[in-house]
Amino acid sequence: MSQETLGVLGDLRRYLEKQRDFGLHAVPGRPAQSDLSKLDQKLQGCKVCSLSQGRRQVVFGSGNPNADLMFVGEAPGAEEDRQGLPFVGAAGQLLTKMIESIGLRREDVYIANVIKCRPPGNRDPEPAEVASCEPFLKQQIDLIEPSIICTLGRFAAQTLLQTSESMGRLRGRLFAYEGIKLVPTYHPAALLRNQQWKRPTWEDLQMLRREYDGAEF
Ligand code: URA
C-alpha cells in the first residue's frame, strides 16, 4: 500500500473516530455527549500552560462518551500529538489488546490522559502542568460518569489518588476516586519494556473485569 493510501486511510479512521465520539452511543439519562464535545472544542485553543507552545494538537480523549469503563494515561506522545487521539502509538496497540483480553472493544470504553498536550521530548509533566490540566480531566470524568476507572501507570494513579506510593504498592488493589471504583495497573509502555510486569497486569485486568461485571450501571 502506498504512503498516500496509508495517509488517506489514517485520515478516514480519525474522521470516523471523531464522528463516533460525537455522534453515537447516546443513552437517555447519561451525560449529553454534546457537553463532552463542547469541552473538547473549548480545550482545543487552551493556552493555560506552556505545553501549548510545543504541541501540534490537544489530545482530548476518544471512545464511547457513555462508557462504563474509562482508562486514564499520562500524556500524549509523538504519535498522539500528530493524530490528535490518545494511545495510538505502540503503547496504544498494546492497550487495545489489553482491553480485548477482558472481552471488551476499544470503542466500548473511553480513553483519556491526565495531561492533554504532549510534554516536549516526552518528559514527565511538571506539577504546574498537572495543576492546570487535571480540572479538565475531572470535568471529562463528570460528563462520562464511568462506573470504573483504570489508571495506566504511576503518574495517573498518583495524580488521581493524590498519593506518592509506588506502582508496585498501588497495583492489585481497588480504590475509589470520588465515588468511582479505581483499579491502577502498569502503563502499556512500561509493559513493552518490562516483561515481568505482564503477569501482575493480567491479574489487575482480571480484577478490573470482575469489578466491571459487579458494577451497577
Ligand atoms: N502514553 C500515554 O500515557 N498516553 C498516550 O496517549 C500515549 C502514550
Side-chain angles (χ1 to χ4, degrees):
M1 213 178 285
S2 72
Q3 281 304 102
E4 199 182 352
T5 312
L6 282 173
V8 171
L9 287 176
D11 288 346
L12 181 62
R13 187 169 63 80
R14 283 191 288 286
Y15 171 78
L16 290 173
E17 279 211 68
K18 295 267 182 202
Q19 289 294 303
R20 194 187 54 224
D21 290 356
F22 297 157
L24 301 180
H25 305 291
V27 174
R30 292 298 294 269
Q33 45 85 22
S34 66
D35 288 346
L36 202 58
S37 55
K38 272 188 209 145
L39 181 61
D40 185 355
Q41 295 299 320
K42 189 175 116 186
L43 282 196
Q44 292 306 315
C46 180
K47 294 207 169 40
V48 174
C49 81
S50 59
L51 291 181
S52 60
Q53 290 161 21
R55 70 163 185 243
R56 284 202 213 178
Q57 303 194 57
V58 174
V59 179
F60 180 69
S62 78
N64 178 355
N66 294 311
D68 295 310
L69 172 57
M70 180 166 174
F71 287 87
V72 178
E74 179 174 329
E79 192 54 30
E80 289 76 21
D81 181 53
R82 207 177 64 75
Q83 295 194 31
L85 292 166
F87 283 96
V88 285
Q93 285 172 24
L94 181 53
L95 176 60
T96 303
K97 286 190 187 147
M98 288 161 66
I99 294 167
E100 288 170 357
S101 79
I102 53 168
L104 298 172
R105 296 166 309 164
R106 203 176 148 113
E107 54 265 40
D108 295 328
V109 305
Y110 195 89
I111 303 173
N113 287 304
V114 177
I115 302 285
K116 310 296 186 205
C117 298
R118 182 189 182 210
N122 293 346
R123 65 157 169 75
D124 283 350
E126 288 171 0
E129 292 157 359
V130 179
S132 308
C133 222
E134 198 193 352
F136 300 127
L137 173 65
K138 286 204 168 131
Q139 287 178 51
Q140 220 171 359
I141 294 172
D142 283 349
L143 290 168
I144 294 163
E145 294 185 298
S147 303
I148 311 184
I149 294 172
C150 178
T151 52
L152 301 164
R154 178 180 59 88
F155 181 84
Q158 289 182 342
T159 303
L160 289 189
L161 295 174
Q162 305 230 313
T163 179
S164 54
E165 278 199 278
S166 69
M167 202 52 234
R169 287 184 56 81
L170 291 170
R171 67 141 301 271
R173 293 157 66 191
L174 179 65
F175 293 86
Y177 168 81
E178 304 203 343
I180 303 166
K181 291 179 187 184
L182 188 150
V183 174
T185 196
Y186 289 104
H187 195 288
L191 293 182
L192 290 171
R193 294 190 300 266
N194 300 285
Q195 296 287 319
Q196 78 273 18
W197 289 337
K198 282 201 171 157
R199 165 146 301 267
T201 303
W202 169 248
E203 289 166 4
D204 295 340
L205 291 172
Q206 296 309 301
M207 177 166 79
L208 181 64
R209 180 70 218 208
R210 279 197 303 278
E211 294 299 334
Y212 175 87
D213 287 336
E216 285 179 24
F217 299 141

